[in-house]
Amino acid sequence: MIEEESDEASRMTTVVVSVLHILLITWGVRSCAGSCCGRRRDEFVEKATATPAELQPRKRVFTAYAFWGVGGLVGIHHIYLDRLVHGLAAMWTLNFLGFGFLLDGLLMGYYVRRFNMRCADWAPYDSSRRSLCCRLPLLIFFGLALILVTVISLPRVLHNFKYIDIDRLAAQTEANPYETLQIDGSASLSDVKAAYKTQSLKWHPDRNPGCGKECENRMAEITKAYDLVKRRKAPLPEDRSFAQWLSNIGSDWMLVLESLSNPQSS
């Protein structure tokens, strides 16, 4: 009986201590949140003699929504509203995989009011709306242009830096087609035809009795290399469509992805 009463008292003590810890932690969190999220309104009242230029500018809902629309998935609107922790969390998680983006759209007015509560009533609004309206369209334009240029030119850039041999992958040859024909990249179409004739005469099985399989494989390589280089050097057709141009870019990207998925092929 005494042991049961002792156990009951011990459990009650544990519960009381736990509740006290919870209350203490809650008070600490609220105190930290109050000191980190901003000063109280009455602190600004004491500075009634401050000029508008010395006050913390108030934020605009329009500007906050503009940042949300452009970079909501990476938390730009949180940075604008001085919610640094929320902004960093959004950057790391793509705003919680889009769910935070939708929630922020609904709560944007609340976020702005919460920030402006830290400002004096006579504080001016920030001037970022005017600069945002001027710079944001330019930023979007140049951003889209950069993406477009990257999509168009990246395969050829990788090829020129010899990171990926697109010509070899497209021709499906063992070596670079230009090396197979023993010509350089600046050769004209007539030079390509002359090189093909020279290599064909050199490796044709009929002109090399007893060469057998080696000449057959070599001729197959020469033929595939010639077909690829001839297409590269041929004049562009006058009726070439935009769809064909996109198809060529898509083909280059498919070769890039194939090379990245199978590094031994490059």
Side-chain angles (χ1 to χ4, degrees), residues 1 26 38 63 70 76 94 112 144 146 157 162 170 203 216 234:
M1 187 66 178
T26 303
T63 307
V70 174
I76 295 179
L94 285 180
V112 175
L144 293 176
L146 179 61
V157 170
K162 301 186 183 303
W203 291 99
E216 293 178 3

Side-chain angles (χ1 to χ4, degrees), residues 177-232:
Y178 293 90
E179 295 177 358
T180 301
L181 296 176
Q182 297 184 3
I183 56 176
D184 56 30
S186 61
S188 63
L189 183 59
S190 59
D191 294 334
V192 174
K193 293 180 179 179
Y196 172 68
K197 183 177 181 180
T198 300
Q199 295 299 318
S200 297
L201 292 175
K202 179 180 178 180
W203 291 99
H204 199 282
D206 294 342
R207 298 178 64 89
N208 295 276
C211 181
K213 194 67 174 178
E214 179 183 358
C215 288
E216 293 178 3
N217 294 337
R218 191 69 178 181
M219 277 302 302
E221 289 283 300
I222 293 171
T223 301
K224 289 189 289 186
Y226 174 67
D227 290 340
L228 185 282
V229 176
K230 183 174 66 173
R231 290 199 305 270
R232 296 274 197 247

